[in-house]
Amino acid sequence: MAVQEARGGADTGAPGGAHAGGCTCGDCPHGAREGHRRAVAEFLLMRDGFAAGQGVPAAVAHSAQASRQWVSEELSQSAELVAERGRAEGEAWLTRLWLRTTITVWALVLVLLLVQSLTAIGAGWTAARTAGLLAALLTAGVLTAASWFHRARGGALAPVIGEDNRLSTSRTVAAAWVLLVAFAVLVLVGRLAAASDHAERDALISGLELARAAGVVTVLAVVCGIAVLVRRVVGLRVLAQRLQKVRAHRPRAADLLTDDAGRGSFADIQYVVISTVAVLFAAVRLARRPDQLPDLPWGLAVVVLVSAATYLAGKYAEGGRPVILSVVRAREAGDLDAPIRTGDDIEIRGAGFVPPGAQGADRLSRMVVRIGPVNVHVPLVPVSGGFSNPTDAVLTVPVPADVEPGRVEVQVVTAAGVETNRYAVDVTE
């Protein structure tokens, strides 16, 4: 489908070049999303063509290194265009997100009204139902106002989007508990304002006592503290080059359950699942007993605390600094064994060369190998469906002629800007 889109893209442009692929108006068929999709399709077509040996000029085809360098430069330029269109698409998507979040919030208010109306059949409409509906309306109004003021950053989701432009699991869980407790307090405020009997008012005020809501208050304090602590931990580990972070084009719902590379994360999944179950339990308790804060049983509260501790431990354990383990001369079939000379390819073996989330060609093309005082950009070597160089464990680069013979140090700089250890090799004449 991508190849067909790339081949037919030239025939679907607007007359006179209006609304080209970079357009971000969002309401035309040639908007940011369409431009990004076409750029990706053209890049995939180019990469697969080069992988099959097609499109290489005859002037460089005679030299393996020259053709590899030419292919790498072409792919890098195309990947930069894809990245630029991706950033534009992400910004346009965030701008449209505020309206979607607002619609979702008011849809939840309608769902609450429907549920209250159905459950009131036979039992009758009560003051607690009115207080709940008013609390929902007030909460929705506040979220709508926040969405408007932060409409360029995702609307109501702006506070839970991290600095890497991904949804933060810790902030999302903390926000869910904050909204639940705030809604419960508003329900009690509404009932207290409508209460006319002195005994009823005293009972509502006693519903805010810590003895009745110690579990939910403890969980709220812990999850909010973890949201702040995780941000601090991640920031310090990035500055210390012990964690590699690359910015995403836009946040996705899957960010709550996966790591930066898109793989499922056990620490994140268990934290989200257990917290969701506990929030639903607390919401049901509030619906059953709207005269007090949700009394979360200590057994369930401890389960949430254990889950939060596991999530925090996972944040401390993830990542690691990239490391070079060995550097050897790359040898092709039929070559004689020999020392490393200028012009030869060297194979750098190690771990952590490709940061999570940096598998795209635009990020891979930013990788640099320092050989002595010379910076060598890692060439992109395409294969069907991806790249054989660079990889997370192996890099292959040529030793340029500017490298002086003798003992030199080799160091890799990843796409996240993290430097590896220095590894000494001998280069002969």
Side-chain angles (χ1 to χ4, degrees), residues 167-410:
L167 284 180
S168 170
T169 302
S170 59
R171 297 184 194 180
T172 302
V173 170
W177 283 104
V178 168
L179 287 176
L180 174 66
V181 173
F183 178 78
V185 173
L186 288 176
V187 171
L188 290 177
V189 170
R191 293 205 60 192
L192 186 62
S196 57
D197 184 68
H198 181 73
E200 183 181 0
R201 289 196 295 268
D202 290 341
L204 291 172
I205 293 176
S206 65
L208 293 171
E209 292 180 357
L210 184 61
R212 297 189 178 184
V216 71
V217 171
T218 302
V219 169
L220 177 66
V222 170
V223 297
C224 289
I226 284 182
V228 177
L229 182 59
V230 164
R231 180 181 181 182
R232 179 65 174 172
V233 168
V234 171
L236 290 178
R237 287 173 61 84
V238 169
L239 293 177
Q241 296 192 5
R242 297 186 179 278
L243 180 65
Q244 302 189 72
K245 276 283 187 181
V246 294
R247 184 176 175 84
H249 290 318
R250 68 177 179 88
R252 304 175 186 274
D255 295 338
L256 300 177
L257 305 175
T258 62
D259 58 13
D260 291 353
R263 299 183 297 261
S265 171
F266 170 76
D268 293 64
I269 292 174
Q270 60 87 27
Y271 191 38
V272 171
V273 170
I274 292 179
S275 298
T276 301
V277 171
V279 167
L280 291 177
F281 180 89
V284 173
R285 292 291 291 175
L286 176 63
R288 291 294 184 180
R289 301 193 64 178
D291 56 342
Q292 65 178 49
L293 289 177
D295 52 339
L296 198 66
W298 274 111
L300 183 56
V302 170
V303 170
V304 176
L305 298 182
V306 171
S307 175
T310 303
Y311 173 78
L312 183 60
K315 286 298 178 181
Y316 271 103
E318 72 177 359
R321 190 167 185 171
V323 60
I324 297 177
L325 300 178
S326 61
V327 178
V328 298
R329 177 177 178 269
R331 177 180 177 274
E332 296 182 359
D335 284 352
L336 298 177
D337 295 329
I340 299 175
R341 297 186 175 91
T342 55
D344 289 344
D345 287 342
I346 58 174
E347 187 177 276
I348 305 172
R349 302 172 183 174
F353 295 148
V354 180
Q359 291 80 11
D362 61 307
R363 304 290 170 79
L364 295 178
S365 63
R366 297 180 184 177
M367 297 182 64
V368 174
V369 175
R370 294 195 186 116
I371 306 177
V374 182
N375 291 329
V376 182
H377 287 271
V378 180
L380 300 177
V381 180
V383 294
S384 181
F387 298 93
S388 62
N389 186 66
T391 63
D392 189 63
V394 178
L395 304 178
T396 301
V397 295
V399 179
D402 294 333
V403 175
E404 296 290 337
R407 196 165 185 83
V408 297
E409 292 183 334
V410 178

Side-chain angles (χ1 to χ4, degrees), residues 324 327 370 372 408-412 419-425:
I324 297 177
V327 178
R370 294 195 186 116
V408 297
E409 292 183 334
V410 178
Q411 188 179 32
V412 176
E419 300 176 343
T420 66
N421 57 307
R422 300 178 184 271
Y423 193 94
V425 297

Side-chain angles (χ1 to χ4, degrees), residues 87-241:
R87 288 189 291 269
E89 192 271 338
E91 292 175 0
W93 184 86
L94 278 177
T95 303
R96 297 190 302 267
L97 184 61
W98 81 270
L99 183 59
R100 300 176 184 177
T101 55
T102 301
I103 293 175
T104 301
V105 167
W106 287 102
L108 292 176
V109 174
L110 292 178
V111 170
L112 177 63
L113 176 60
L114 180 61
V115 171
Q116 286 187 338
S117 300
L118 293 177
T119 55
I121 298 176
W125 191 268
T126 62
R129 300 179 193 275
T130 302
L133 184 58
L134 292 177
L137 292 173
L138 181 58
T139 303
V142 171
L143 292 177
T144 301
S147 297
W148 171 255
F149 287 112
H150 296 87
R151 58 187 180 277
R153 290 293 307 152
L157 295 182
V160 299
I161 297 177
E163 287 72 17
D164 57 353
N165 208 28
R166 295 180 176 89
L167 284 180
S168 170
T169 302
S170 59
R171 297 184 194 180
T172 302
V173 170
W177 283 104
V178 168
L179 287 176
L180 174 66
V181 173
F183 178 78
V185 173
L186 288 176
V187 171
L188 290 177
V189 170
R191 293 205 60 192
L192 186 62
S196 57
D197 184 68
H198 181 73
E200 183 181 0
R201 289 196 295 268
D202 290 341
L204 291 172
I205 293 176
S206 65
L208 293 171
E209 292 180 357
L210 184 61
R212 297 189 178 184
V216 71
V217 171
T218 302
V219 169
L220 177 66
V222 170
V223 297
C224 289
I226 284 182
V228 177
L229 182 59
V230 164
R231 180 181 181 182
R232 179 65 174 172
V233 168
V234 171
L236 290 178
R237 287 173 61 84
V238 169
L239 293 177
Q241 296 192 5

